[in-house]
Amino acid sequence: MEHVAPLLAALKSHKGQFAPVVPFNPGSDQLLPLDFTAANLALTDEILNDNALFSAYINRRLSEAGARYGIGGYNEHRTIYSRSTVFDNASGTEPRRLHLGTDIWGKPHTAVMAPLDGFVHSFGLHPTLGDYGAVIILSHQLDRQSFFTLYGHLSLGSIKNMFEGQRIAAGDVFAEFGIPQDNGWWPPHLHFQVMADMQGWKGDYPGVCAFSERDKWLENCIDPDMILNMNQYL
């Protein structure tokens, strides 16, 4: 995609200038990298298939590390998606397992803020086990380059009074982490994703792709840390 290069340049030129997406104080808050690949042998099928056990696993890891958030997942080939048929291919071919965003794991109802000025492109509710639950997509302009940010696994209240075209200013709290009943039956977290082009999607956009299609999807789904700027604190 030829239009992605100017966008990458714009994001790089503004790196470190974006508002935080979640409340985070680098001077006092700890981050814990979380691994959801096959290399994490502690994350058993028993845990993945029981939401209470999965939530307890996340909470225990955060507590043991003294961390406010767990973070990671961009371009990660994950085993956790075996917990839901949402990520299976209907034809029985290769399932989707490659993660296209960054996950920030934390407490339910954690505030979610806009990293820069934008407008509500669309929003939706996808309650199937493993899906986004409540999701919001914002559209942005930066140095005359357009792009989109996606916020998945939100609370139902996050989309209650929302409307397309609604202006969201940088730093505005416009959503919050959902509880499992709202967020697709996941431990509370935010799926944050950056797309150069919505490619015709509205109220939804894939957050996971087949590994064999990795290059195609990553070309449009830019590293979220270009905006989050959090990995430097791991």
Side-chain angles (χ1 to χ4, degrees), residues 2 13 15 19 27 46 49 82 121-122 125 133 149 162 173 213:
E2 294 181 0
S13 70
K15 188 173 178 63
E46 180 185 11
N49 293 323
S82 61
H121 169 273
S122 54
L125 180 61
T149 53
M162 183 154 283
V173 176
E213 298 179 342

Side-chain angles (χ1 to χ4, degrees), residues 148-210:
F148 305 85
T149 53
L150 180 149
Y151 308 80
H153 310 300
L154 305 174
S155 70
L156 292 180
S158 299
I159 61 173
K160 184 176 181 181
N161 297 309
M162 183 154 283
F163 57 90
E164 292 181 11
Q166 179 178 345
R167 184 178 184 274
I168 308 290
D172 279 358
V173 176
F174 69 96
E176 63 180 5
F177 289 19
I179 59 175
Q181 291 88 337
D182 297 349
N183 75 2
W185 298 99
W186 291 95
H189 74 289
L190 173 71
H191 172 96
F192 178 69
Q193 189 166 324
V194 183
M195 294 85 65
D197 192 323
M198 283 299 295
Q199 300 174 321
W201 290 81
K202 188 174 181 180
D204 196 9
Y205 189 89
V208 185
C209 73

Side-chain angles (χ1 to χ4, degrees), residues 100-122:
L100 300 172
T102 290
D103 285 337
I104 303 174
W105 305 79
K107 293 182 178 179
H109 311 300
T110 294
V112 176
M113 299 167 286
L116 71 165
D117 293 346
F119 295 89
V120 175
H121 169 273
S122 54

Side-chain angles (χ1 to χ4, degrees), residues 11-81:
L11 291 171
K12 287 177 181 177
S13 70
H14 290 271
K15 188 173 178 63
Q17 300 175 19
F18 301 107
V21 172
V22 295
F24 175 66
N25 183 343
S28 58
D29 293 334
Q30 299 296 316
L31 295 177
L32 173 68
L34 288 175
D35 178 1
F36 293 116
T37 70
N40 184 355
L41 300 180
L43 200 55
T44 63
D45 287 343
E46 180 185 11
I47 292 174
L48 290 176
N49 293 323
D50 184 317
N51 197 73
L53 291 178
F54 195 2
S55 294
Y57 169 83
I58 297 292
N59 292 335
R60 183 176 67 255
R61 291 291 312 278
L62 293 178
S63 178
E64 290 172 350
R68 183 171 186 178
Y69 302 111
I71 191 169
Y74 177 66
N75 191 21
E76 183 175 76
H77 193 230
R78 291 178 158 184
T79 57
I80 59 174
Y81 298 123

